[in-house]
Each structure stands twice: as C-alpha cells, then as structure tokens.
Amino acid sequence: MSLERILKSIAVLAALLGRSALTIFPLWWMLVVSRETPANAGAAMVGGGDVIKLWPSSPQWANYAKAGEEMGSRRGGGFGEGFKDALANSTVITVLVCVGTILSSSLVGFAFARVRVRGPQGLFLLKL
C-alpha cells in the first residue's frame, strides 16, 4: 500500500470515529445525568459547576425506580397506567410515520422510475 492510501484510510477512520462519538455522546450524557443527584443534574443542565463528567460522582440508581413510580401519577395511576398511555401514543405515532413514509417514498420512487428528464441521475442523487 502506498503512503497516500494509508493516510486516506486513517483520515476516513478518524472521521468515522469522530462522527460515532458525536452520535453516541447524547445517549451517554442522558445516562450519566439520569444517575446524578437532583442538585448535580440541575447544575449540569444549566451549566454550573462540573458540567461534563464521564461518570457520576455518586450514582443514584434509585432515580430509575422513582421515575417509574411517578410516571402517570397525575392521573392517580402508577407505572402501569402511564406506561400504557405512553405505549399507545408511541404506537400511533410510529404507525402514522411509517405509513406516511411508505406512501411518500413510493410516489417519489414511481416518479423517478417513470418520468424522464434531462440529467435524471442528478435529481436522483440529489434526493439520496
């Protein structure tokens, strides 16, 4: 392998790793903040104190149980009732989005397959 090809491979790998880190960071941040004490989580959210930590100083695993107990508590229900409402809402939204995506994609696919214009590949690549 030539030096140019090796450097190009290293650059592509570095770009992919950087993009992966940007994609994974919000999930990691959510998990770290969800295990913080309320005071530390509030400070992290508004930018006070030690904002970015890779691991909470004293992980509060009970936060998840507390969130489960409080879910749906506005209606007097517990985790089960709130979970059913959230599941129903998520199911309706997911079905509607899937149906809409399939319909719009099939229309666009049909148009790309049947309609002939100058530079059809250019429009197709623009859509992609």
Side-chain angles (χ1 to χ4, degrees):
M1 289 178 76
S2 68
L3 180 62
E4 180 181 327
R5 197 165 177 194
I6 292 172
L7 291 175
K8 185 177 178 182
S9 295
I10 291 172
V12 168
L13 182 62
L16 289 173
L17 287 173
R19 178 65 182 162
S20 297
L22 286 175
T23 303
I24 292 171
F25 181 75
L27 176 64
W28 179 255
W29 178 254
M30 178 185 64
L31 292 173
V32 167
V33 172
S34 71
R35 288 188 305 258
E36 283 284 2
T37 62
N40 288 346
M45 299 308 285
V46 296
D50 293 334
V51 177
I52 297 177
K53 295 180 184 178
L54 294 179
W55 191 257
S57 52
S58 59
Q60 305 292 313
W61 296 100
N63 289 346
Y64 298 120
K66 185 176 178 183
E69 291 169 3
E70 291 180 3
M71 189 173 178
S73 62
R74 282 185 235 157
R75 294 189 182 148
F79 179 75
E81 186 175 322
F83 181 73
K84 287 183 221 171
D85 292 343
L87 182 62
N89 290 341
S90 297
T91 302
V92 168
I93 296 297
T94 300
V95 168
L96 291 176
V97 167
C98 287
V99 168
T101 301
I102 290 170
L103 288 176
S104 64
S105 296
S106 63
L107 292 173
V108 171
F110 180 79
F112 277 126
R114 296 290 180 192
V115 177
R116 300 288 178 219
V117 294
R118 286 191 311 196
Q121 295 300 321
L123 287 175
F124 183 68
L125 290 175
L126 181 66
K127 177 64 179 168
L128 288 178

